[in-house]
Amino acid sequence: GQNIDQPTEMTATEGAIVQINCTYQTSGFNGLFWYQQHAGEAPTFLSYNVLDGLEEKGRFSSFLSRSKGYSYLLLKELQMKDSASYLCASMDSNYQLIWGAGTKLIIKP
Amino acid sequence: DVKVTQSSRYLVKRTGEKVFLECVQDMDHENMFWYRQDPGLGLRLIYFSYDVKMKEKGDIPEGYSVSREKKERFSLILESASTNQTSMYLCASSKLTEAFFGQGTRLTVV
């Protein structure tokens, strides 16, 4: 079956670094997405990885290992506005997105 | 700026009512999707469409239908609303990979 696993909730301190992990099992693979969703709002695109390695975009980086079925999202210099849910999604061979349940990130001052 | 617009942010309907949720995108995307989002569960795909007048069932199509008469508009229909359809409904559109989401409709069925 198809499955995406990510932690339900994480807590971190303002100014620190946090890594949110995601493991996936999908029928075929056409890339791994990370989205950010603030409470009551729509998900917004953060990153897309289809090749192994690290993609850096400002304070946010995303890593992919296809052989391990593993990705992580790294957030540096955390700010209070980073408090949100972070959704991991894998695109399968039919170009359908399979979504994780999301990780709620709580930032404390 | 890309835009996906859903007709309502909040909706309260009675059990048994027919409910229409509308979604419009201005990006000329071929692909459009309807999801529902419930606490502790990932986004679950209800229906999607790859082109005008085309529709495909997602993972949880029961109790729903869709309509795509024009490229920019994708409607979700709850034929006879039930309390277990109380949820956040999200519409999305995409060209190839990245999906753009509407602001969501929080539907409560009483």
Side-chain angles (χ1 to χ4, degrees):
Chain A
Q2 308 204 96
N3 196 46
I4 307 286
D5 279 317
Q6 54 181 130
T8 305
E9 188 174 294
M10 297 181 73
T11 303
T13 305
E14 192 176 14
I17 298 173
V18 72
Q19 177 175 312
I20 303 174
N21 296 325
C22 170
T23 57
Y24 65 89
Q25 271 182 298
T26 52
S27 305
F29 181 73
N30 280 300
L32 194 292
F33 292 78
W34 284 96
Y35 278 76
Q36 180 189 60
Q37 186 178 25
H38 285 101
E41 296 183 14
T44 54
F45 172 81
L46 286 177
S47 67
Y48 171 63
N49 294 65
V50 68
L51 299 176
D52 287 350
L54 188 69
E55 297 268 348
E56 295 186 73
K57 209 188 277 186
R59 292 189 300 115
F60 292 9
S61 304
S62 56
F63 172 83
L64 176 68
S65 168
R66 288 174 299 171
S67 62
K68 294 181 180 176
Y70 169 69
S71 172
Y72 67 73
L73 181 69
L74 192 72
L75 292 76
K76 300 176 187 173
E77 300 167 21
L78 285 169
Q79 301 174 10
M80 297 304 292
K81 67 178 182 180
D82 297 329
S83 291
S85 287
Y86 291 86
L87 312 180
C88 172
S90 174
M91 182 170 275
D92 69 13
S93 56
N94 294 319
Y95 294 93
Q96 290 301 319
L97 285 171
I98 312 301
W99 294 86
T103 299
K104 182 178 181 181
L105 178 63
I106 300 166
I107 311 292
K108 295 188 173 175
Chain B
D1 239 5
V2 296
K3 207 150 186 163
V4 180
T5 304
Q6 294 182 227
S7 49
S8 307
R9 283 298 296 266
Y10 301 95
L11 215 49
V12 179
K13 294 292 180 181
R14 293 192 184 280
T15 302
E17 273 192 84
K18 191 168 186 174
V19 182
F20 293 86
L21 302 183
E22 305 286 347
C23 175
V24 177
Q25 51 99 359
D26 64 1
M27 295 164 282
D28 200 37
H29 285 166
E30 286 82 18
N31 309 323
M32 295 188 76
F33 307 84
W34 274 106
Y35 293 94
R36 62 178 283 176
Q37 186 176 34
D38 300 288
L41 302 174
L43 289 168
R44 292 183 291 166
L45 183 63
I46 304 170
Y47 267 96
F48 60 99
S49 169
Y50 287 139
D51 204 348
V52 176
K53 296 197 187 293
M54 286 184 60
K55 58 186 178 185
E56 298 283 345
K57 292 180 180 179
D59 300 317
I60 50 164
E62 296 79 20
Y64 303 95
S65 62
V66 290
S67 171
R68 185 128 183 240
E69 295 297 316
K70 293 184 178 181
K71 191 175 186 180
E72 66 270 19
R73 187 179 297 268
F74 192 36
S75 304
L76 179 70
I77 303 148
L78 285 67
E79 298 292 342
S80 176
S82 63
T83 54
N84 63 13
Q85 291 178 310
T86 291
S87 186
M88 169 70 89
Y89 289 87
L90 287 163
C91 173
S93 76
S94 74
K95 199 161 185 77
L96 286 173
T97 52
E98 181 183 345
F100 296 87
F101 285 85
Q103 77 276 29
T105 297
R106 185 162 293 283
L107 172 68
T108 303
V109 182
V110 297

